[in-house]
Amino acid sequence: TDLEMFTHAVSHDLRSPLITIKGLLKWIERDAIGGSIDRLKVNLNLVANAATRMEQIVGDLLELSRIGHVCSQLDEVSVRELALEAVQLVSGIIVEKGVKVDIAPNLPNVWGDRSRLLQVFQNLIENAVKFMGVQKHPKIEIGALSDDSGTVFYIRDNGAGIDPADQARVFDLFTKLDQKAKGTGLGLALVKRIIETHGGQIWVESQGRGKGSTFYFTLRPSGAQSVTI
């Protein structure tokens, strides 16, 4: 069933830019014959954009397929350092949207593949900024909660929020709640797979549109080296 759903999602999202390219090629031929250079340049640019989107989709799919099947170096990882580095990597859009980011000072260390875990933080932070919506004081909080069952990390924003009906499917392949948003719709699927291969779980909570979102996830604590990435 998973393979069938995966094949359907991939074929659907790759078919769209292919149809665009095939349709534009007819117009490009007409432009070339008719000598309409300006229109030819516009249509060639549209073809290039469609091809770039296909390249992004294939790249993300290859990345998704590698997770869990490639041996990686496992180390003790500072979650606070991960969060700081991830914020730096997406600082451009953070500054552009005037988002304040608060990172808790005493985040516990975990055991895992540092580069993969950095992908988790970068993706979730970038996602929070991207879907901040119209907010006078945009803010992201990165922290952790501890109880008898262990530590739960969270990335919380006061942005656009997620309708309860959509929360169960945000981690599905190619899911884009905002069709105008950039990206392939594979980011949260990648995040989910990375967390699960580290022996953890991830979920999202939101009271609805305009009320912000909190992504919670668990990871093995430092010293728990029985992780296969």
Side-chain angles (χ1 to χ4, degrees), residues 21-59:
I21 290 172
K22 289 179 67 177
L24 286 168
L25 286 175
K26 297 178 182 179
W27 287 104
I28 289 172
E29 183 180 9
R30 293 178 187 179
D31 295 339
I33 293 173
S36 179
I37 302 302
D38 290 340
R39 195 168 62 184
L40 177 64
K41 290 180 179 178
V42 170
N43 287 330
L44 283 172
N45 187 57
L46 292 173
V47 167
N49 289 340
T52 297
R53 173 160 177 76
M54 288 186 66
E55 184 179 27
Q56 291 172 340
I57 292 172
V58 171

Side-chain angles (χ1 to χ4, degrees), residues 47-167:
V47 167
N49 289 340
T52 297
R53 173 160 177 76
M54 288 186 66
E55 184 179 27
Q56 291 172 340
I57 292 172
V58 171
D60 283 351
L61 286 170
L62 287 172
E63 183 69 9
L64 185 66
S65 71
R66 284 170 55 86
I67 298 170
H69 299 282
V70 178
C71 294
S72 304
Q73 177 67 41
L74 304 181
D75 296 296
E76 182 176 357
V77 180
S78 165
V79 172
R80 178 169 169 79
E81 289 181 5
L82 279 181
L84 288 168
E85 184 174 345
V87 168
Q88 183 63 36
L89 288 171
V90 297
S91 60
I93 188 173
I94 289 175
V95 172
E96 178 185 340
K97 296 206 171 186
V99 180
K100 180 182 179 183
V101 181
D102 287 337
I103 303 174
N106 298 315
L107 296 174
N109 292 353
V110 297
W111 185 262
D113 178 345
R114 192 182 190 284
S115 63
R116 291 296 189 196
L117 294 177
L118 179 60
Q119 284 181 283
V120 168
F121 279 86
Q122 182 179 346
N123 204 306
L124 290 177
I125 293 169
E126 188 173 22
N127 205 59
V129 177
K130 187 189 301 183
F131 299 104
M132 187 58 69
V134 180
Q135 173 58 253
K136 290 184 179 179
H137 304 288
K139 183 179 180 181
I140 296 173
E141 299 175 44
I142 302 172
L145 305 170
S146 297
D147 56 27
D148 293 339
S149 61
T151 301
V152 178
F153 298 93
Y154 64 84
I155 297 179
R156 177 180 294 128
D157 65 71
N158 61 346
I162 303 172
D163 191 281
D166 295 323
Q167 291 174 22

